[in-house]
Amino acid sequence: MARDLLVLSGGHAYEREPFAELLGALGEWDITHLMHPEAEEAVAGGRALEADAVLFYDMGGYTFADKWVTSRPPSEAFRRAIVERFEAERGAVAMHHALAGWADWPEWHEMLGGRFLYTPGEVRGKATLDSGYRHDVDYAAQVVADHPVTAGLPSEFRVVDELYLAEIFEDDVTPLVRSDYTFTRDNFYSAAQGISGTLYSNDGWDHPPGSNLVAWHKQVANAPLVYLQFGDAPQTYANPHVRQMLTNALDFIAGENP
């Protein structure tokens, strides 16, 4: 019998057909794929608690207009539903730009184990610069843990993907995969400058060095959460090692370890 997988997307552009092909290659899952705002409404109505696994590939709470961004928190019903899922020992997987979602819901980022900021803000009571991005980085992903999510992977594999210079709460997570790329401001562009219309710039942006962690496992209440930083474009969706990690992660949080 196929397991029930709920996939949330929206809020960030992506190529739908290649992503759908990725989902179709994940194994025996009965997939419900919802985009915002329908996704938020469905979760608030209890859909997330029903699913065997939830995959967050969304970036909720933003409106991009006039070369800037505004944000809002999710509904109280949505927040309660997500918390209740973890309390009920039902886990989730989050990918890529989910690290930026729901900027006005700090608890979400505590659950995830990190945060990408589009604009300067505050993280854990500390003033923090906007995060950095860099597309099409060709890097070596290095497995650093013997874990169900990394089962069957080589110790190192190549990935071409977008990377983030973001806030990662390393002390609160179990590291799974690191990148050999150098996570310093010279190698990234300012997200705030990007949305203001000055793409691919880091002028005057003095972001401190960041974590090279690109995949981790975190316990949230009574359930596991796995974050995979992979997932910007079709070339990443098609990477067999990324597919293996995502398959393993979904099996792991659904209680079926490889």
Side-chain angles (χ1 to χ4, degrees):
M1 181 177 179
R3 297 163 293 171
D4 178 20
L5 171 61
L6 175 63
V7 180
L8 309 183
S9 66
H12 190 288
Y14 67 95
E15 296 197 40
R16 297 187 187 185
E17 289 187 10
F19 183 69
E21 198 277 329
L22 166 65
L23 296 180
L26 294 177
E28 297 298 319
W29 292 97
D30 184 2
I31 298 173
T32 300
H33 183 183
L34 302 176
M35 295 187 67
H36 289 289
E38 182 185 7
E40 183 178 355
E41 295 167 358
V43 169
R47 184 64 182 85
L49 193 56
E50 300 169 358
D52 294 309
V54 176
L55 173 60
F56 293 97
Y57 189 62
D58 60 336
M59 197 179 78
Y62 289 104
T63 299
F64 293 88
D66 300 322
K67 295 186 177 181
W68 202 239
V69 61
T70 57
S71 59
R72 65 167 182 86
S75 69
E76 177 59 33
F78 179 93
R79 286 178 280 177
R80 185 170 60 250
I82 297 300
V83 171
E84 288 176 354
R85 178 175 175 84
F86 289 115
E87 289 178 344
E89 303 183 14
R90 303 178 78 85
V93 177
M95 288 181 69
H96 201 57
H97 46 252
L99 198 68
W102 303 121
D104 295 333
W105 185 25
E107 292 81 5
W108 171 240
H109 299 282
E110 293 298 326
M111 294 181 205
L112 283 182
R115 180 180 173 190
F116 182 99
L117 291 87
Y118 270 100
T119 60
E122 184 177 289
V123 177
R124 292 183 162 184
K126 180 181 177 180
T128 306
L129 286 174
D130 55 298
S131 296
Y133 68 96
R134 185 69 178 253
H135 293 108
D136 298 325
V137 179
D138 185 346
Y139 69 92
Q142 301 167 335
V143 175
V144 295
D146 181 8
H147 189 280
V149 175
T150 59
L153 293 174
S155 60
E156 182 174 297
F157 56 92
R158 303 301 302 184
V159 179
V160 178
D161 200 13
E162 180 185 21
L163 288 175
Y164 297 149
L165 181 60
E167 306 305 304
I168 308 300
F169 309 146
E170 282 219 22
D171 291 344
D172 296 341
V173 306
T174 299
L176 300 178
V177 180
R178 294 185 181 276
S179 168
D180 71 342
Y181 194 63
T182 302
F183 285 70
T184 57
R185 57 88 59 191
D186 289 344
N187 289 333
F188 289 85
Y189 304 121
S190 159
Q193 292 183 39
I195 61 176
S196 69
T198 308
L199 294 173
Y200 314 123
S201 171
N202 57 16
D203 292 344
W205 178 70
D206 193 22
H207 198 289
S211 170
N212 68 347
L213 192 58
V214 293
W216 60 81
H217 164 214
K218 188 176 188 297
Q219 197 71 10
V220 180
N222 301 317
L225 180 141
V226 175
Y227 176 76
L228 307 176
Q229 211 271 293
F230 316 106
D232 179 57
Q235 63 187 347
T236 315
Y237 305 155
N239 185 304
H241 303 302
V242 171
R243 289 190 173 196
Q244 183 66 61
M245 281 201 76
L246 180 55
T247 298
N248 289 351
L250 290 169
D251 287 341
F252 174 66
I253 63 99
E256 299 185 23
N257 295 346

Coordinates of all heavy atoms in Angstrom, one line a residue, residues 113-166:
G113 N 16.3 24.6 12.2 CA 17.7 24.6 12.5 C 18.6 25.7 11.8 O 19.8 25.6 11.8
G114 N 17.9 26.7 11.3 CA 18.6 27.7 10.6 C 17.6 28.7 9.9 O 16.4 28.5 9.9
R115 N 18.2 29.7 9.3 CA 17.3 30.7 8.7 C 18.1 31.5 7.6 O 19.3 31.9 7.8 CB 16.8 31.7 9.7 CG 15.9 32.8 9.1 CD 15.4 33.8 10.1 NE 14.7 34.9 9.4 CZ 14.3 36.0 10.0 NH1 14.5 36.2 11.3 NH2 13.6 36.9 9.3
F116 N 17.5 31.6 6.4 CA 18.0 32.5 5.4 C 17.2 33.8 5.4 O 15.9 33.8 5.4 CB 17.8 31.8 4.0 CG 18.3 32.6 2.8 CD1 19.5 32.3 2.2 CD2 17.5 33.7 2.3 CE1 20.0 33.1 1.2 CE2 18.0 34.4 1.2 CZ 19.2 34.1 0.6
L117 N 17.9 35.0 5.4 CA 17.2 36.3 5.5 C 17.3 37.0 4.2 O 18.4 37.2 3.7 CB 17.9 37.1 6.6 CG 17.7 36.7 8.1 CD1 18.8 35.8 8.5 CD2 17.7 38.0 9.0
Y118 N 16.2 37.5 3.7 CA 16.2 38.3 2.5 C 16.6 39.7 2.8 O 17.1 40.4 1.9 CB 14.8 38.2 1.8 CG 14.7 37.1 0.8 CD1 14.0 36.0 1.1 CD2 15.2 37.2 -0.5 CE1 13.9 34.9 0.2 CE2 15.1 36.2 -1.4 CZ 14.5 35.0 -1.0 OH 14.3 34.0 -1.9
T119 N 16.3 40.2 4.0 CA 16.6 41.5 4.4 C 17.3 41.5 5.8 O 17.1 40.5 6.5 CB 15.4 42.4 4.5 OG1 14.5 41.9 5.4 CG2 14.7 42.5 3.1
P120 N 18.1 42.5 6.1 CA 18.7 42.5 7.5 C 17.6 42.4 8.5 O 16.5 42.9 8.4 CB 19.4 43.8 7.5 CG 19.7 44.2 6.1 CD 18.5 43.6 5.3
G121 N 17.9 41.6 9.6 CA 16.9 41.4 10.6 C 17.5 41.0 11.9 O 18.6 41.4 12.2
E122 N 16.8 40.2 12.7 CA 17.2 39.8 14.0 C 17.1 38.3 14.1 O 16.0 37.7 13.8 CB 16.4 40.5 15.1 CG 16.9 40.1 16.5 CD 16.1 40.9 17.6 OE1 16.3 42.1 17.7 OE2 15.3 40.2 18.3
V123 N 18.1 37.6 14.5 CA 18.1 36.2 14.7 C 18.6 35.8 16.1 O 19.7 36.2 16.5 CB 19.0 35.4 13.6 CG1 19.0 33.9 13.9 CG2 18.5 35.7 12.2
R124 N 17.7 35.2 16.9 CA 18.0 34.9 18.2 C 18.5 36.1 19.0 O 19.4 36.0 19.8 CB 19.0 33.7 18.3 CG 18.5 32.4 17.8 CD 19.5 31.3 17.9 NE 18.8 30.0 17.9 CZ 19.5 28.8 18.0 NH1 20.8 28.8 18.2 NH2 18.8 27.7 17.9
G125 N 17.8 37.2 18.8 CA 18.1 38.4 19.6 C 19.3 39.2 19.1 O 19.6 40.2 19.7
K126 N 19.9 38.8 18.0 CA 21.1 39.5 17.5 C 20.8 40.1 16.1 O 20.3 39.4 15.2 CB 22.2 38.5 17.4 CG 23.5 39.1 16.9 CD 24.6 38.0 16.8 CE 25.9 38.5 16.3 NZ 26.9 37.5 16.2
A127 N 21.2 41.4 15.9 CA 21.1 42.0 14.6 C 21.9 41.2 13.6 O 23.1 40.9 13.8 CB 21.6 43.4 14.7
T128 N 21.3 40.9 12.5 CA 21.9 40.0 11.5 C 21.7 40.5 10.1 O 20.6 41.0 9.7 CB 21.2 38.6 11.6 OG1 21.3 38.1 12.9 CG2 21.9 37.6 10.7
L129 N 22.8 40.5 9.3 CA 22.7 41.0 7.9 C 21.9 40.0 7.1 O 21.7 38.8 7.4 CB 24.1 41.1 7.3 CG 25.0 42.2 7.8 CD1 26.4 42.1 7.2 CD2 24.3 43.6 7.3
D130 N 21.4 40.5 5.9 CA 20.7 39.6 5.0 C 21.7 38.5 4.5 O 22.9 38.7 4.6 CB 20.3 40.4 3.8 CG 21.4 41.2 3.1 OD1 21.9 42.1 3.8 OD2 21.7 40.9 1.9
S131 N 21.1 37.4 4.1 CA 21.9 36.2 3.8 C 22.5 36.4 2.4 O 22.2 37.3 1.6 CB 21.1 35.0 3.9 OG 20.7 34.7 5.2
G132 N 23.4 35.4 2.0 CA 24.0 35.4 0.7 C 23.6 34.2 -0.1 O 23.2 33.1 0.4
Y133 N 23.7 34.3 -1.5 CA 23.3 33.2 -2.4 C 24.4 33.2 -3.5 O 25.0 34.2 -3.8 CB 21.9 33.5 -3.0 CG 21.9 34.7 -3.9 CD1 22.0 34.5 -5.3 CD2 21.8 36.0 -3.4 CE1 22.0 35.6 -6.2 CE2 21.7 37.1 -4.3 CZ 21.9 36.9 -5.6 OH 21.9 38.0 -6.5
R134 N 24.5 32.0 -4.1 CA 25.4 31.8 -5.2 C 24.9 30.7 -6.0 O 24.8 29.5 -5.6 CB 26.8 31.6 -4.8 CG 27.9 31.5 -5.9 CD 28.1 32.8 -6.5 NE 29.1 32.8 -7.6 CZ 30.3 33.3 -7.5 NH1 30.7 33.9 -6.3 NH2 31.1 33.3 -8.5
H135 N 24.5 30.9 -7.3 CA 23.9 29.9 -8.2 C 25.0 29.1 -8.8 O 26.1 29.5 -9.0 CB 23.1 30.6 -9.3 CG 21.8 31.2 -8.8 ND1 21.7 32.6 -8.8 CD2 20.7 30.7 -8.3 CE1 20.5 32.9 -8.3 NE2 19.9 31.8 -8.0
D136 N 24.6 27.9 -9.2 CA 25.4 27.0 -10.0 C 26.8 26.7 -9.5 O 27.8 26.7 -10.3 CB 25.5 27.5 -11.5 CG 24.1 27.6 -12.1 OD1 23.3 26.7 -11.9 OD2 23.9 28.6 -12.9
V137 N 26.9 26.5 -8.2 CA 28.2 26.2 -7.6 C 28.5 24.7 -7.8 O 27.7 23.9 -7.5 CB 28.2 26.5 -6.1 CG1 29.6 26.2 -5.5 CG2 27.9 28.0 -5.9
D138 N 29.6 24.4 -8.4 CA 30.1 23.0 -8.6 C 30.9 22.6 -7.4 O 32.1 23.1 -7.2 CB 30.9 22.9 -9.9 CG 31.2 21.5 -10.2 OD1 31.1 20.6 -9.3 OD2 31.6 21.2 -11.4
Y139 N 30.4 21.8 -6.5 CA 31.1 21.5 -5.3 C 31.1 20.0 -4.9 O 30.3 19.3 -5.5 CB 30.6 22.4 -4.1 CG 29.2 22.0 -3.6 CD1 29.0 21.1 -2.6 CD2 28.1 22.6 -4.2 CE1 27.7 20.8 -2.2 CE2 26.8 22.3 -3.8 CZ 26.6 21.4 -2.8 OH 25.3 21.1 -2.3
A140 N 32.0 19.7 -4.0 CA 32.0 18.3 -3.5 C 31.1 18.3 -2.2 O 31.4 19.0 -1.2 CB 33.4 17.8 -3.2
A141 N 30.1 17.4 -2.2 CA 29.3 17.2 -1.0 C 30.0 16.1 -0.2 O 30.2 15.0 -0.7 CB 27.9 16.9 -1.3
Q142 N 30.3 16.3 1.1 CA 31.1 15.3 1.9 C 30.2 14.8 3.0 O 29.7 15.6 3.9 CB 32.3 16.0 2.4 CG 33.2 16.6 1.3 CD 34.3 17.5 1.8 OE1 34.2 18.1 2.9 NE2 35.4 17.6 1.0
V143 N 29.9 13.5 3.0 CA 29.1 12.9 4.0 C 29.9 12.8 5.3 O 31.1 12.3 5.3 CB 28.7 11.5 3.6 CG1 28.0 10.7 4.7 CG2 27.8 11.5 2.3
V144 N 29.3 13.3 6.4 CA 30.0 13.4 7.7 C 29.4 12.6 8.8 O 29.8 12.6 9.9 CB 30.2 14.8 8.1 CG1 31.1 15.6 7.1 CG2 28.8 15.5 8.3
A145 N 28.4 11.8 8.4 CA 27.7 11.0 9.4 C 27.2 9.6 8.8 O 26.7 9.6 7.7 CB 26.5 11.7 10.0
D146 N 27.3 8.6 9.6 CA 26.7 7.3 9.3 C 25.3 7.4 9.8 O 25.0 7.3 11.0 CB 27.5 6.2 10.0 CG 26.9 4.8 9.7 OD1 26.0 4.7 8.8 OD2 27.3 3.8 10.3
H147 N 24.3 7.6 8.9 CA 22.9 7.9 9.3 C 22.0 7.3 8.3 O 22.4 7.1 7.1 CB 22.8 9.4 9.4 CG 21.6 9.9 10.0 ND1 20.3 10.0 9.3 CD2 21.3 10.4 11.2 CE1 19.4 10.5 10.1 NE2 20.0 10.8 11.3
P148 N 20.8 7.0 8.7 CA 19.8 6.5 7.7 C 19.6 7.4 6.5 O 19.4 6.9 5.4 CB 18.5 6.3 8.5 CG 18.9 6.1 9.9 CD 20.2 6.9 10.1
V149 N 19.8 8.7 6.7 CA 19.6 9.6 5.5 C 20.7 9.5 4.6 O 20.6 9.8 3.4 CB 19.4 11.0 6.1 CG1 19.3 12.0 4.9 CG2 18.1 11.1 6.9
T150 N 21.9 9.1 5.0 CA 23.1 9.1 4.1 C 23.4 7.6 3.7 O 24.4 7.4 3.0 CB 24.3 9.6 4.8 OG1 24.6 8.9 6.1 CG2 24.1 11.1 5.2
A151 N 22.5 6.7 4.0 CA 22.7 5.3 3.7 C 22.9 5.1 2.1 O 22.1 5.7 1.4 CB 21.6 4.4 4.2
G152 N 23.8 4.4 1.7 CA 24.0 4.1 0.3 C 24.7 5.2 -0.5 O 25.0 5.0 -1.7
L153 N 25.1 6.2 0.2 CA 25.8 7.3 -0.5 C 27.3 7.1 -0.5 O 27.8 6.6 0.5 CB 25.5 8.7 0.1 CG 24.1 9.2 0.0 CD1 23.9 10.5 0.8 CD2 23.7 9.5 -1.5
P154 N 28.1 7.6 -1.5 CA 29.5 7.6 -1.4 C 29.9 8.6 -0.4 O 29.2 9.5 0.0 CB 30.0 7.9 -2.8 CG 28.8 8.7 -3.4 CD 27.6 8.1 -2.8
S155 N 31.2 8.5 0.1 CA 31.7 9.5 1.1 C 31.7 10.9 0.6 O 31.7 11.8 1.3 CB 33.0 9.0 1.6 OG 34.0 9.0 0.5
E156 N 31.8 11.0 -0.8 CA 31.9 12.3 -1.4 C 31.2 12.2 -2.8 O 31.4 11.2 -3.5 CB 33.3 12.8 -1.5 CG 33.5 14.2 -2.1 CD 34.9 14.7 -2.1 OE1 35.4 14.9 -0.9 OE2 35.5 14.9 -3.1
F157 N 30.4 13.2 -3.2 CA 29.8 13.3 -4.5 C 29.7 14.7 -5.0 O 29.7 15.6 -4.2 CB 28.5 12.5 -4.5 CG 27.5 13.1 -3.5 CD1 26.6 14.1 -3.8 CD2 27.4 12.6 -2.2 CE1 25.6 14.5 -2.9 CE2 26.5 13.0 -1.3 CZ 25.6 14.0 -1.6
R158 N 29.7 14.9 -6.3 CA 29.6 16.2 -6.9 C 28.1 16.7 -7.0 O 27.2 15.9 -7.3 CB 30.2 16.2 -8.3 CG 31.6 15.8 -8.4 CD 32.6 16.5 -7.6 NE 32.6 18.0 -7.8 CZ 33.5 18.8 -7.3 NH1 34.4 18.4 -6.4 NH2 33.5 20.1 -7.6
V159 N 28.0 18.0 -6.7 CA 26.7 18.6 -6.9 C 26.9 20.0 -7.6 O 27.9 20.6 -7.3 CB 26.0 18.8 -5.5 CG1 24.6 19.5 -5.7 CG2 25.8 17.5 -4.8
V160 N 26.0 20.3 -8.5 CA 26.0 21.7 -9.0 C 24.6 22.3 -8.6 O 23.6 21.8 -9.0 CB 26.1 21.7 -10.5 CG1 26.0 23.1 -11.1 CG2 27.4 21.1 -11.0
D161 N 24.7 23.3 -7.7 CA 23.5 23.8 -7.1 C 23.7 25.2 -6.5 O 24.9 25.7 -6.4 CB 23.1 22.8 -6.0 CG 21.6 23.0 -5.6 OD1 20.8 23.6 -6.3 OD2 21.2 22.4 -4.5
E162 N 22.6 25.8 -6.2 CA 22.7 27.1 -5.4 C 23.1 26.8 -4.0 O 22.5 25.9 -3.4 CB 21.4 27.9 -5.5 CG 21.5 29.2 -4.8 CD 20.1 29.9 -4.8 OE1 19.1 29.2 -4.9 OE2 20.1 31.2 -4.6
L163 N 24.0 27.6 -3.4 CA 24.3 27.5 -2.0 C 24.0 28.8 -1.3 O 23.9 29.9 -1.9 CB 25.8 27.3 -1.9 CG 26.3 25.9 -2.2 CD1 27.9 25.8 -2.1 CD2 25.7 24.8 -1.3
Y164 N 23.8 28.7 0.0 CA 23.4 29.9 0.8 C 24.5 30.2 1.9 O 25.1 29.2 2.5 CB 22.2 29.6 1.6 CG 20.9 29.3 0.8 CD1 19.9 28.5 1.3 CD2 20.7 30.0 -0.4 CE1 18.8 28.3 0.6 CE2 19.5 29.8 -1.1 CZ 18.5 28.9 -0.6 OH 17.4 28.7 -1.3
L165 N 24.7 31.4 2.1 CA 25.5 31.9 3.2 C 24.5 32.4 4.2 O 24.0 33.6 4.1 CB 26.5 33.0 2.9 CG 27.4 33.6 4.0 CD1 28.3 32.5 4.6 CD2 28.3 34.7 3.4
A166 N 24.1 31.6 5.1 CA 22.9 31.8 6.0 C 23.2 31.5 7.4 O 24.3 31.0 7.8 CB 21.7 31.0 5.5

